[in-house]
Every structure is written in structure tokens, then in C-alpha cells.
Amino acid sequence: MAVLTSRFADGLAVGTDLVEAAETAIRQALAGLSGPPDLVCFFICGDDPEEVGRAGRRAMGMAPDAHVIGCSATGVIGDARGVELKPAVSAWAASLGEAKVTTFALETLRTSDRFVVVGLPERGLDDRVAILLADPYSFPTDAFIEHSSEVLGTLPIIGGLANGMQGRGSVRLFADGEVYDEGAIGVLLSGPVSVGTVVSQGCRPIGPTMAVTHAEENLLLELAGQPALARLEDIVTDLDEEDRELVASGLQIGVAMDEYAERHERGDFLIRGVLGIDPEREAVAVGDVLEIGRTVRFQVRDAETADEDLYELLDAHLERVGRVDGALLFSCNGRGSAMFGTPDHDALAVRDTLGPIGVAGFFAAGEVGPVGGQNHVHGFTASILVFSSSPPVGA
């Protein structure tokens, strides 16, 4: 018989009094637990950074015996709902049994020739996952995540880039009683806790897979021995009108994570944006530096594809683990109403597939999560940390 090792609950409060909303959301989350909380996460959307700070301090004070982290955002998720661009607070509480919870705060120091990130806890053999909330204006999240394996090995990192309604300078991060207006904060979970990650990039491949045969930095010059722009034009010519519109509204490129797979289909790629073209060099500029020999495939994204991708990945995860008890959801602020016409889509998808579990999160300015066993920063993605009551089937 599987032993239940964690219990989870969420709360959501909407209202202009953010301190009161924080009290209500935290109280709802704590009331849903069957035991004392070990970890509490909260997310605040509000116009005034100072009021966000006051609400965050109140939220941290309501669970004095738990580890507590949180951040500001332009939208929050809780109670199977999403709330965008309105004053609101969502909260999530977990009883994690014998698991170890370690909070941390990261800052960037400049040396003579580089930046150094300090504050990361020492890596342990029983570490399971790190949750990261970062200020995108002051913390080098992309570089940190890109080089995280050098310090953290294969440890999964999941989370999101915080934001504030006033942009730069309005981000607030919270960790165990402290308020930060820059850097990054997070939690390291270790010991007997069963966790998994679901990262839905929501893209559909178009055209064939191709090898990068000539590139300079982020500029693709040749694909499969032909000028990259000519290859792209041939692919677009063969598309129907609907897909051509998707290409025009935001073309993507997928980088195959397993070079040795016989086939590369949806979900097998790390998605990066196509930034533009260089007609003179017949080149395509992309949002990553790709080495010669990498396998790529152009991609498009729309609401139908993103919906199907998220449901399929969640169903597959549930089939692997058998039962899910809670989840944290970091959804791109380009999803929600902008993509699906409703802010509730991703929250409802998690509830529909995984059941009436404790789920909360926020609309992020960039999402962090592993693809192909490597941590990456994403866009237009739903990154989900899933807590199960037992190890995956067959593990």
C-alpha cells in the first residue's frame, strides 16, 4: 500500500485590499490541510509595490512554523481559476512529512571578469527538486539556468520569472520573513517526497526535421545543406492558409533533445523563437546559439495545439504515477486570456486531468523547467511541479 507523504491545499482571494486578500488566501490554504504546513507559497498581483510588500509580510507572518516563499506577479492562479491584471492573492500550502525544506536567496556579485551567483544551498544526495522565483530585471536567470548543471547536476529546477504591475523596480520576492526587490529566491526539497515535472511548450511541428549545416552564433545559414531562408520559404509555401497565418504571427523553431531518436515529433523539441531573417545572407535568426549538426524543425503555436499538448502531457504523467496530490503551476503571461480567451485554461486543465487537488501558481514573465533532462528558461509554456503520493509506477 502506498504511503501518503504529502497533503496540499490552495486559496484565492480577489480584492483591492491586498493585505486582507493575503490573509484570506493563506487562511483558505491552511484550512485545507490535514496537518501542519511545512511549505507555503503565495503570489500577489497589485498596483502598488509597497502594498504588495505589506501583503507579503502579512502572508509570511500567518505561517510562522512553516517555510514560506512568494513573489509579485501580473496575474495569479488558485482555486482552479486565473486572475489577470487585477488585485488578487493566491496561496498554496503543503504538509510534506519527513521531507526537508531549505529556502534560499540568490544574489549576483560582479568580479573583475564575470558575474557570480551566491546563496545556493549545498547539493545533497537526496535532493529532489528546486523551486526558483526570480526577478527578470536584476537576476541573470538564463545564464544561471544554462550553467546550473555545473553545480546542481541533474537536479530539476522549476519555477518562473516574477513581475510587477509597474515593471522594473516593482518586483517583490519573499522568503521566510524577508522581502527582496532584486535577485532570486527559492526552495530546495530533499528526502522522501515524490515529485515530477510537466513542461508543456504547446507547439506543433511543420515541415521536415533538418540538420544545422552552417551557423554563426544565433544565425542559421544552412539547413540540410541549403540556405536556411530558402528552406523556410519552401516549408511555408506548402502550408495551408491557416498555418501561414500562424507562421506570420510567431514562428518558432524546435531543437531536438535526443539526436539519436528515429523520429522527432511534438514534445521532442526545446522550443525557441524565430527572431527574424537576413535576406542578404539567406539566414534565419533564432533565440539560441545552435551548433552545427543539431537537428531542428520549425514549429507553430496556437490555442488548439497548446490545449492538446497540455492535456496529453498531464494525462501521461498521471498514468505514470497513478495518483497526484498537489501541484504548483507556472504559466506564461502570454497564455491565459491572450491565447485561450480565458485566464482559467491552464488551471482547469490541471484540475480536469489530475483531480481536485491543491494547485496554485502565477502568470510568469518566463518559465523554468526541464526538457530532455536539462533545465531551461521558456516562453509561452506551462511549467508544473507535480507532487505524488507514491513513486512512479515501475520506479
Side-chain angles (χ1 to χ4, degrees):
M1 177 181 295
V3 178
L4 187 63
T5 58
S6 55
R7 304 289 293 181
F8 307 86
D10 62 78
L12 175 70
V14 181
T16 55
D17 188 331
L18 286 181
V19 173
E20 180 180 341
E23 292 177 347
T24 301
I26 295 288
R27 191 178 298 115
Q28 289 173 356
L30 296 178
L33 294 181
S34 58
D38 298 301
L39 175 62
V40 175
C41 303
F42 65 88
F43 312 99
I44 304 174
C45 179
D47 292 322
D48 183 359
E50 297 306 313
E51 187 180 8
V52 170
R54 288 192 292 270
R57 290 186 183 92
R58 180 62 185 131
M60 290 187 287
M62 292 186 67
D65 298 325
H67 291 282
V68 186
I69 65 168
C71 69
S72 59
T74 56
V76 302
I77 297 169
D79 193 28
R81 294 173 55 197
V83 180
E84 301 170 325
L85 305 176
K86 296 179 182 178
V89 179
S90 65
W92 181 88
S95 295
L96 296 171
E98 298 299 316
K100 180 181 178 182
V101 180
T102 305
T103 57
F104 58 84
L106 305 180
E107 61 176 321
T108 307
L109 303 179
R110 182 191 291 271
T111 67
S112 59
D113 60 348
R114 59 176 179 165
F115 289 99
V116 177
V117 173
V118 298
L120 197 65
E122 289 189 12
R123 181 80 160 89
L125 295 177
D126 63 347
D127 294 342
R128 298 289 179 254
V129 69
I131 304 169
L132 183 74
L133 308 176
D135 172 14
Y137 303 103
S138 66
F139 188 75
T141 312
D142 287 275
F144 173 75
I145 294 298
E146 181 181 348
H147 297 288
S148 62
S149 60
E150 298 171 9
V151 177
L152 299 176
T154 59
L155 181 74
I157 305 175
I158 197 156
L161 304 187
N163 210 338
M165 295 288 279
Q166 305 302 324
R168 181 184 295 273
S170 66
V171 174
R172 296 295 181 268
L173 306 169
F174 307 93
D176 281 358
E178 299 293 330
V179 182
Y180 304 87
D181 58 10
E182 60 181 14
I185 57 95
V187 166
L188 182 65
L189 299 181
S190 312
V193 57
S194 183
V195 293
T197 58
V198 173
V199 178
S200 175
Q201 301 177 91
C203 279
R204 167 167 54 85
I206 57 172
T209 57
M210 297 168 287
V212 177
T213 50
H214 188 193
E216 294 178 3
E217 297 296 329
N218 72 324
L219 206 60
L220 299 181
L221 297 169
E222 287 185 4
L223 295 173
Q226 299 294 323
L229 183 55
R231 282 286 188 179
L232 175 58
E233 290 173 342
D234 288 343
I235 291 170
V236 173
T237 298
D238 291 337
L239 299 177
D240 59 28
E241 183 176 349
E242 183 177 346
D243 279 351
R244 289 182 190 176
E245 291 179 358
L246 293 177
V247 169
S249 64
L251 180 64
Q252 315 292 316
I253 193 165
V255 184
M257 300 307 297
D258 181 0
E259 291 288 337
Y260 302 103
E262 293 185 5
R263 298 185 58 175
H264 296 98
E265 302 297 339
R266 189 174 73 192
D268 296 331
F269 298 90
L270 173 65
I271 303 300
R272 290 293 182 250
V274 172
L275 306 180
I277 61 173
D278 184 341
E280 290 187 4
R281 302 187 71 184
E282 296 188 84
V284 178
V286 300
D288 207 343
V289 176
L290 302 181
E291 298 176 353
I292 293 174
R294 293 303 301 265
T295 300
V296 298
R297 191 174 182 185
F298 288 107
Q299 314 265 329
V300 293
R301 178 187 283 121
D302 60 1
E304 181 179 354
T305 299
D307 173 84
E308 185 178 287
D309 186 65
L310 179 56
Y311 273 91
E312 285 185 0
L313 289 173
L314 289 169
D315 283 335
H317 186 83
L318 183 60
E319 185 176 348
R320 287 196 301 271
V321 302
R323 172 174 171 168
V324 169
D325 298 318
L328 283 167
L329 170 59
F330 307 98
S331 181
C332 181
N333 53 23
R335 293 171 67 97
S337 297
M339 178 174 286
F340 301 106
T342 171
D344 305 332
H345 177 273
D346 289 352
L348 287 174
V350 173
R351 185 65 61 91
D352 288 346
T353 52
L354 304 185
I357 59 175
V359 180
F362 71 99
F363 290 99
E367 305 73 56
V368 178
V371 172
Q374 300 179 34
N375 296 310
H376 299 279
V377 179
H378 308 276
F380 290 93
T381 293
S383 291
I384 308 166
L385 177 61
V386 184
F387 293 78
S388 305
S389 56
S390 59
V393 176

